[in-house]
Amino acid sequence: MTTSSVRTTQAAFLLNISTGRLRTLLNQGRVIGAYKVERIWMIPLNHRGMPDIIPGSRGPEGTWNKNKRTGNTFIHVLRKTIDYNRDNGTAYPAVAVKVGDKKDYCHALKIKGPCQIVYQPHQPNKSQAGGARLWIEVESQHIVERQYFSDGDYGPPPEVLQQRSKSKGFKNRKKKSKIQV
């Protein structure tokens, strides 16, 4: 049986962790069978097609994927963020990438593999895409490499911060009404 090896970006994608976190695990010697070819880490895959990680001795249990991904990746272009950046001279990330329950924001993407653009004006995708009517869908086995501007603003875009503050205010109102009853 031959085992295949992948680089850090592909292994981080499979594990659903950042490449920085994976490099920390590599430097700690916690990735089983990993080796360097010149300056590039090569990480072997197990029989399930995943890198093997040795659990840490302290702290919470690792949150990386232990099995192959089954869910697709959804990519959204945030129109409100683009408008906000234009009007205020900012450079917040205007691309949202959702894999399962994890959502990440970036300035640009490289999709390594086939994908499809889906437009459903009368049937928004409320289950995965938060009610979006237009999105890009990438199959689970393909890598989506995120890119950031060096002079960009990092963190969630303003529209996301506004939505979060509204939902927190709604939750706080609910808690107060329960206490008063």
Side-chain angles (χ1 to χ4, degrees), residues 8-9 17-29 41:
T8 54
T9 303
I17 60 175
S18 69
T19 54
R21 175 67 180 140
L22 180 60
R23 285 191 196 98
T24 300
L25 294 171
L26 287 164
N27 291 329
Q28 293 173 351
W41 281 101

Side-chain angles (χ1 to χ4, degrees), residues 74 76 118-135:
F74 293 89
H76 305 277
V118 181
Y119 177 55
Q120 294 180 347
H122 304 297
Q123 286 184 306
N125 186 352
K126 293 181 181 172
S127 64
Q128 284 292 324
R133 298 172 194 282
L134 176 70
W135 63 91

Side-chain angles (χ1 to χ4, degrees), residues 8-19 21-22 25 50-51 53 62-73 97-104 144 146:
T8 54
T9 303
Q10 295 158 323
F13 172 79
L14 291 170
L15 293 167
N16 199 22
I17 60 175
S18 69
T19 54
R21 175 67 180 140
L22 180 60
L25 294 171
M50 298 293 291
I53 308 290
T63 58
W64 51 77
N65 287 342
K66 301 194 178 41
N67 295 314
K68 260 194 161 174
R69 290 174 180 254
T70 56
N72 289 348
T73 301
V97 181
K98 186 171 184 184
V99 181
D101 293 337
K102 185 178 177 185
K103 196 175 218 179
D104 192 19
V144 177
R146 294 149 181 85

